[in-house]
């Protein structure tokens, strides 16, 4: 026992393939240097055709090579973590800190209340002392339907929470549990009996919430619960007073479940909104809950969740505490970031939304340098760190606060009024909220910028990817939503790169160089759109005139180009397959990598500099039936006219026209194309055509509602054909 008390609550292991990764990174960079040398040593003479295209290629290859170095920095020192929750229980079971769970929603249409309350219920059912657990729902739409759904969930929780704990169920989101329930047959008759009762209660609750969503909150519910009176002064979702209701509080009699055990504290908050005030989106909601929770529960640890990210592992809280409560290193850790996984990703990840590369590789790489980024959800944070407190060597974990979660007499009306005051707009006027305290304002990726502000105060962070997934959510299920989401991220990352918090400009030395390079990979990814667009357009157009922009196959300069191309394909394919992807999934990932970096990244650059006050757009969690069927069949969804699709279709058709014209010249043997000189250029064009096959289907073959609109197809065809004719005749 004595030796066990000295053991760490977690252990860290290094990537077993790190030497191979580093060898490839070094050799790849050498090859890239040779590519640069080729460009500089073979610049066409003044007046020769292709001179400006050649110089343009040098510029884009120069920046692409530098960005590739940032990319490799994330793969240089991957680390992996393992926790020992049994040791945590042995040492700290009676001293476990209070945990406040923040769940955020902002629109009952795109984020259905039933989905929201399933996330709330999964949090209430954690395997953790209920007296030390509090759940806060922030509703930026101030929807009475969402409030009604939460009241329904609070009643259902009285049955659901003890049921989960008694039979040790996973996952503890009712919807996810019943969807994955293969059979109700069991040798445990007690379990079968309770299961039937719980399932019936859930279906009844689900029906009432869905009816309220369609028809409005029932009048009997309004008259029964005083909380609805707070909507009497409601004008709109952008103009209303603070609406706050403590639904459950640990000390109250009605906060007990059917087994007479107390339930976690449950609070609904719709912060004050006024048209003339900027409320700073999710960052403002985080700060509002920070203040509100400080007077209700004041948990030392905060879990931040998006409303669709339900818990799938009831031990996640204890796993996070293994890092934060470790005697040796825990005091320097500000937050523990869990991966963000999704339960609606198809077998071959049609839209590349699994974020596998980021979750399985890149965050492990940032962790190796002591600072995985805060991704805005699935993250356990120390309240002190969010408050802007600086870390120092003298800082010590204090888990012996006797006042925390102390049961006292509470005047509920007074408590709610105090909490309401802290959710009002005037609380932040002339203060450091949004700057030095709480989540940082002024950026669409407020999560990342908040994380790096915390790290700049001397704190470290940890990335924990457990064997059993901790959280699952909903990813976009059509192409347009994916592109829009990526555009928002692109704008936010550029804002981050230009802000005072940009890591490569920090004057203090809390963030090491390797970690800065890793952050640069994310901050500057929108700028890679310009080199990719150049590569997708210029080499293909120069095929029409038979002008080579790459070394011929018999030249020794052909080797570094081949090494870079083959090396990247092999590395990417190997990494994808070892992380569980299929060959088709890898190919889909390559297509989406191209689409996302040539399209929304370009629009994010344009919109950021053309319209600096970017808005935060929610990604819909709702999908129509026919679109859902196409998604299940892995048929790419277009179906609407959008500037995003115009760009994609024009690029795809331009490469198709260039390839057909080049093949015609090769077959006819008119001498315009020298195959030996043009092999790399021709290969690039062929790959671009093959990867765009779903687009050609949507233009020429498909007849369903998900095809590209005829007007957009005609416009894109005209633009691409005109560009080819103009370049062929006048250049």
């Amino acid at each position: 026992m004595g030796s066990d008390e000295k053991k760490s609550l977690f252990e860290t292991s290094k990537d077993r393939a790190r030497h191979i990764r580093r060898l490839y990174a070094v050799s790849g960079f050498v090859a890239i240097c040779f590519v640069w040398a080729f460009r500089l040593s073979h610049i066409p003479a003044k007046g020769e055709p292709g001179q400006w295209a050649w110089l343009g290629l040098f510029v884009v290859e120069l920046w692409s090579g530098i960005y590739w170095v940032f990319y490799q920095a994330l793969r240089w020192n991957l680390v992996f973590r393992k926790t020992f929750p049994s040791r945590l229980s042995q040492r700290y079971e009676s001293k476990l800190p209070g945990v406040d769970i923040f769940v955020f929603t902002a629109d009952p249409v795109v984020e259905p209340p039933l989905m929201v309350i399933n996330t709330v219920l999964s949090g209430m059912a954690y395997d953790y002392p209920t007296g030390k657990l509090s759940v806060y729902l922030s509703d930026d739409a101030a929807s009475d339907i969402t409030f009604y759904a939460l009241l329904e969930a609070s009643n259902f929780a009285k049955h659901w929470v003890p049921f989960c704990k008694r039979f040790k169920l996973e996952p503890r989101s009712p919807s996810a549990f019943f969807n994955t329930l293969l059979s109700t047959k069991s040798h445990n008759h007690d379990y079968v009996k309770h299961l039937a009762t719980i399932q019936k209660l859930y279906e009844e609750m689900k029906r009432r919430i869905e009816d309220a969503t369609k028809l409005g909150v029932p009048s009997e519910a309004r008259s029964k619960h005083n909380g609805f009176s707070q909507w009497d002064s409601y004008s709109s979702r952008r103009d209303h007073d603070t609406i706050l209701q403590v639904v459950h509080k640990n000390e109250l009699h009605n906060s007990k479940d059917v087994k007479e055990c107390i339930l976690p504290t449950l609070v609904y908050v719709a912060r004050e909104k006024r048209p003339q005030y900027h409320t700073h989106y999710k960052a403002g909601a985080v700060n509002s809950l920070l203040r509100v929770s400080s007077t209700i529960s004041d948990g030392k640890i905060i879990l931040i969740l998006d409303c669709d990210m339900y818990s799938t592992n009831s031990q996640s809280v204890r796993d996070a505490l293994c890092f934060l409560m470790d005697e040796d290193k825990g005091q320097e850790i500000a937050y523990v970031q869990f991966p963000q996984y999704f339960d609606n990703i198809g077998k071959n990840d049609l839209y590349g939304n699994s974020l596998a590369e980021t979750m399985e590789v890149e965050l492990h790489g940032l962790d190796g340098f002591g600072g995985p980024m805060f991704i805005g959800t699935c993250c356990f944070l120390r309240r002190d760190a969010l408050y802007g407190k600086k870390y120092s060597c003298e800082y010590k974990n204090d888990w012996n606060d006797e006042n925390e979660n102390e049961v006292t007499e509470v005047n509920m009306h007074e408590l709610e009024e105090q909490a309401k005051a802290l959710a009002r707009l005037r609380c932040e006027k002339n203060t450091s909220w949004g700057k030095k305290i709480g989540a940082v304002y002024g950026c669409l990726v407020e999560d990342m910028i908040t994380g790096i502000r915390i790290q700049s105060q001397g704190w470290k962070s940890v990335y924990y990817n457990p064997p059993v997934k901790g959280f699952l959510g909903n990813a976009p299920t059509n192409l347009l939503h994916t592109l829009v989401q990526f555009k928002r991220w692109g704008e936010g990352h550029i804002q981050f790169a230009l802000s005072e918090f940009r890591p490569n400009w920090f004057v203090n030395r809390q963030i090491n160089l390797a970690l800065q390079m890793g952050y640069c990979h994310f901050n500057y990814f929108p700028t890679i759109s310009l080199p990719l667009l150049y590569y997708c357009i210029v080499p293909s157009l120069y095929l029409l005139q038979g002008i080579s922009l790459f070394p011929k196959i018999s030249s020794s300069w052909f080797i570094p180009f081949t090494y870079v191309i083959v090396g990247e394909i092999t590395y990417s394919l190997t990494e994808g397959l070892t992380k569980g992807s299929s060959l088709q999934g890898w190919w889909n990932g390559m297509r989406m990598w191209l689409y996302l970096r040539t399209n929304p990244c370009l629009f994010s650059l344009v919109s950021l500099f053309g319209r600096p006050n970017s808005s935060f757009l929610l990604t819909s969690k709702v999908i129509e039936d026919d679109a859902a069927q196409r998604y299940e069949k892995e048929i790419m969804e277009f179906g609407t006219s959008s500037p995003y699709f115009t760009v994609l279709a024009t690029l795809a058709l331009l490469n198709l026209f260039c390839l057909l014209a080049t093949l015609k010249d090769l077959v006819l043997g008119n001498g315009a194309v020298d195959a030996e000189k043009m092999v790399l250029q021709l290969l690039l064009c062929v790959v671009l055509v093959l990867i765009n096959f779903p687009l050609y289907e949507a233009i020429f073959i498909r007849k369903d509602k998900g095809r590209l609109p005829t007007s957009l197809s005609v416009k894109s065809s005209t633009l691409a054909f005109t560009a080819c004719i103009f370049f062929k005749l006048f250049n």
Side-chain angles (χ1 to χ4, degrees):
M1 179 67 72
S3 60
D4 190 59
E5 289 179 354
K6 296 179 182 178
K7 291 181 179 179
S8 176
L9 298 179
F10 70 93
E11 69 179 17
T12 303
S13 59
K14 290 185 176 293
D15 178 27
R16 289 180 293 181
R18 63 186 181 279
H19 299 301
I20 298 175
R21 293 182 189 274
R22 293 174 182 180
L23 178 62
Y24 171 69
V26 173
S27 61
F29 182 69
V30 171
I32 289 172
C33 290
F34 275 106
V35 170
W36 293 340
F38 169 75
R39 288 294 173 204
L40 290 174
S41 61
H42 291 73
I43 299 175
K46 187 176 181 180
E48 285 188 24
Q51 183 189 39
W52 288 107
W54 191 280
L55 292 173
L57 279 173
F58 171 69
V59 172
V60 301
E61 287 168 353
L62 178 64
W63 173 240
S64 298
I66 294 171
Y67 185 77
W68 184 87
V69 173
F70 299 152
Y71 173 82
Q72 291 302 318
L74 294 169
R75 287 154 172 76
W76 190 262
N77 188 38
L78 276 67
V79 298
F80 302 89
R81 312 283 188 174
K82 180 181 179 181
T83 61
F84 301 98
S86 60
R87 297 176 187 172
L88 176 78
S89 298
Q90 289 174 8
R91 300 178 207 172
Y92 294 108
E93 190 64 33
S94 62
K95 301 177 183 177
L96 292 174
V99 176
D100 292 346
I101 302 175
F102 294 174
V103 180
F104 298 91
T105 184
D107 191 324
V109 176
V110 299
E111 297 170 339
L114 188 64
M115 178 189 70
V116 175
I117 61 115
N118 269 280
T119 299
V120 169
L121 287 165
S122 72
M124 295 180 70
Y126 269 123
D127 182 14
Y128 200 76
T130 52
K132 297 183 177 183
L133 201 60
S134 302
V135 181
Y136 295 80
L137 176 61
S138 171
D139 180 14
D140 263 6
S143 167
D144 57 349
I145 296 174
T146 301
F147 178 63
Y148 172 73
L150 190 68
L151 293 178
E152 288 285 343
S154 71
N155 291 323
F156 178 70
K158 296 176 182 179
H159 303 270
W160 176 250
V161 172
F163 177 66
C164 289
K165 295 190 175 184
R166 179 177 179 181
F167 296 105
K168 296 180 170 52
L169 303 183
E170 301 288 355
R172 296 190 176 181
S173 157
S175 176
F177 173 74
F178 292 125
N179 286 339
T180 56
L181 189 64
L182 298 178
S183 173
T184 58
K185 294 181 180 180
S186 173
H187 295 296
N188 187 336
H189 298 293
D190 191 33
Y191 166 73
V192 173
K193 177 183 176 182
H194 282 82
L195 175 62
T197 302
I198 290 292
Q199 194 162 12
K200 180 181 178 182
L201 289 172
Y202 177 72
E203 291 300 327
E204 291 173 350
M205 178 188 70
K206 179 180 176 181
R207 177 183 52 77
R208 289 193 295 271
I209 293 174
E210 289 177 343
D211 289 346
T213 302
K214 297 174 184 176
L215 306 174
V217 177
S219 56
E220 58 268 24
R222 290 185 182 276
S223 59
K224 185 177 179 181
H225 201 286
N226 293 331
F228 286 103
S229 63
Q230 297 180 79
W231 271 265
D232 293 343
S233 61
Y234 176 87
S235 298
S236 72
R237 67 170 59 184
R238 296 180 179 85
D239 187 11
H240 60 82
D241 294 330
T242 297
I243 301 173
L244 187 147
Q245 184 72 42
V246 179
V247 181
H248 286 165
K249 186 74 176 81
N250 295 337
E251 298 83 1
L252 300 181
H253 175 70
N254 66 350
S255 295
K256 293 183 179 180
D257 61 29
V258 292
K259 298 295 183 181
E260 291 299 311
C261 297
I262 61 173
L263 286 167
T265 295
L266 181 62
V267 183
Y268 173 90
V269 181
R271 58 195 171 119
E272 182 186 11
K273 295 278 191 73
R274 299 300 175 200
Q276 65 271 31
Y277 289 100
H278 196 326
T279 51
H280 304 289
Y281 312 117
K282 184 178 176 181
V286 170
N287 291 344
S288 178
L289 285 192
L290 271 176
R291 296 189 298 270
V292 167
S293 63
S294 68
T295 193
I296 296 176
S297 56
D298 201 26
K300 291 182 178 179
I301 307 300
I302 293 169
L303 168 59
I304 290 182
L305 290 176
D306 288 340
C307 63
D308 64 317
M309 295 301 301
Y310 64 89
S311 171
T312 55
N313 184 355
S314 61
Q315 299 297 314
S316 293
V317 176
R318 294 177 181 270
D319 283 333
L321 291 179
C322 285
F323 297 101
L324 296 166
M325 298 182 73
D326 183 71
E327 296 87 347
D328 183 27
K329 298 180 180 179
Q331 68 273 6
E332 65 181 4
I333 297 173
Y335 60 86
V336 181
Q337 180 64 63
F338 280 65
Q340 184 178 14
Y341 288 120
F342 306 97
D343 63 0
N344 62 338
I345 299 294
K347 177 183 176 182
N348 296 312
D349 193 9
L350 181 62
Y351 298 117
N353 282 321
S354 67
L355 305 177
E357 191 176 32
T358 299
M359 300 300 158
E360 297 288 345
V361 180
E362 293 171 352
L363 284 174
H364 285 290
L366 288 174
D367 196 11
F369 298 118
M373 60 190 180
F374 170 37
I375 62 176
T377 187
C378 312
C379 187
F380 292 85
L381 300 101
R382 198 184 292 271
R383 186 180 285 266
D384 283 348
L386 266 178
Y387 278 159
K389 185 173 182 177
K390 290 186 177 182
Y391 172 75
S392 67
C393 296
E394 289 74 32
Y395 182 88
K396 295 294 181 183
N397 286 326
D398 180 15
W399 309 113
N400 297 305
D401 188 349
E402 297 179 355
N403 295 320
E404 186 179 40
N405 301 107
E406 183 179 301
V407 178
T408 57
E409 291 295 325
V410 177
N411 184 310
M412 188 55 62
H413 178 72
E414 291 182 3
L415 181 65
E416 288 180 342
E417 289 304 314
Q418 291 173 12
K420 279 184 182 181
L422 295 175
R424 290 180 180 139
L425 291 168
R426 67 187 182 193
C427 284
E428 296 189 355
K429 190 175 182 180
N430 300 321
T431 69
S432 294
W433 283 100
K435 300 172 185 174
K436 297 180 180 180
I437 303 176
V440 178
Y441 296 157
C443 182
L444 289 176
V445 286
E446 77 291 326
D447 40 20
M448 279 190 66
I449 208 166
T450 300
I452 203 157
R453 197 225 43 217
I454 290 172
Q455 291 168 5
S456 73
Q457 301 297 311
W459 296 95
K460 293 183 186 276
S461 55
V462 163
Y463 180 62
Y464 181 55
N465 194 347
V468 178
K469 292 180 175 64
F471 304 92
L472 284 174
N474 291 326
T477 53
N478 70 46
L479 182 59
L480 184 60
H481 289 166
T482 301
L483 297 174
V484 169
Q485 183 182 67
F486 213 79
K487 172 182 174 288
R488 185 181 75 228
W489 290 346
E491 288 184 60
H493 283 292
I494 296 171
Q495 291 172 344
F496 187 2
L498 298 176
S499 75
E500 62 179 298
F501 295 101
R502 52 190 179 272
N504 50 319
W505 283 60
F506 261 107
V507 292
N508 63 47
R509 299 182 180 178
Q510 301 291 351
I511 303 177
N512 63 54
L513 178 61
L515 187 57
Q516 291 183 24
M517 292 173 65
Y519 272 103
C520 285
H521 166 74
F522 294 101
N523 289 343
Y524 297 126
F525 81 80
T527 62
I528 207 69
S529 64
L530 300 178
L532 279 175
L533 282 169
Y534 195 91
Y535 247 88
C536 289
I537 297 171
V538 174
S540 297
L541 287 176
Y542 272 85
L543 275 175
L544 298 174
Q545 294 190 338
I547 297 175
S548 175
L549 299 175
F550 297 92
K552 58 184 181 180
I553 197 169
S554 59
S555 169
S556 59
W557 290 106
F558 187 82
I559 298 174
F561 280 89
T562 305
Y563 186 86
V564 171
I565 295 168
V566 175
E568 274 300 290
I569 292 174
T570 304
Y571 186 91
S572 172
L573 179 59
T574 303
E575 191 173 83
L577 294 178
T578 55
K579 298 303 179 184
S581 178
S582 63
L583 187 62
Q584 181 62 49
W586 171 79
W587 182 246
N588 290 342
M590 291 297 99
R591 180 187 303 114
M592 288 308 302
W593 183 87
L594 179 69
Y595 285 4
L596 293 173
R597 283 157 182 79
T598 56
N599 201 328
C601 287
L602 175 66
F603 280 100
S604 66
L605 288 170
V606 172
S607 64
L608 183 69
F609 292 107
R611 180 173 49 86
N613 293 323
S614 304
S615 60
F616 188 92
L617 299 174
L618 290 173
T619 303
S620 178
K621 309 300 188 296
V622 181
I623 181 172
E624 296 179 357
D625 291 340
D626 57 342
Q629 292 176 5
R630 287 191 289 273
Y631 181 67
E632 290 177 2
K633 295 177 182 178
E634 298 189 339
I635 299 173
M636 194 164 270
E637 185 77 16
F638 297 95
T640 185
S641 293
S642 166
Y644 297 103
F645 295 157
T646 302
V647 172
L648 288 178
T650 302
L651 287 174
L653 291 168
L654 184 143
N655 279 279
L656 179 63
F657 295 157
C658 289
L659 178 62
L660 293 175
T662 303
L663 292 177
K664 176 184 72 73
D665 290 341
L666 284 172
V667 171
L668 297 178
N670 59 12
V673 178
D674 185 340
E676 185 185 9
K677 289 183 178 179
M678 309 297 290
V679 63
L680 280 178
Q681 224 158 311
L682 186 60
L683 180 63
L684 174 62
C685 191
V686 169
V687 170
L688 288 171
V689 168
L690 291 176
I691 212 166
N692 279 304
F693 184 74
L695 261 170
Y696 304 136
E697 277 189 317
I699 295 172
F700 301 118
I701 301 174
R702 287 169 55 185
K703 303 299 181 183
D704 56 72
K705 292 181 179 180
R707 75 187 304 273
L708 274 173
T710 303
S711 59
L712 189 148
S713 300
V714 171
K715 179 167 63 174
S716 297
S717 300
T718 303
L719 289 171
F721 189 72
T722 302
C724 292
I725 294 298
F726 181 85
F727 194 85
K728 182 77 172 177
L729 297 179
F730 300 105
N731 192 41

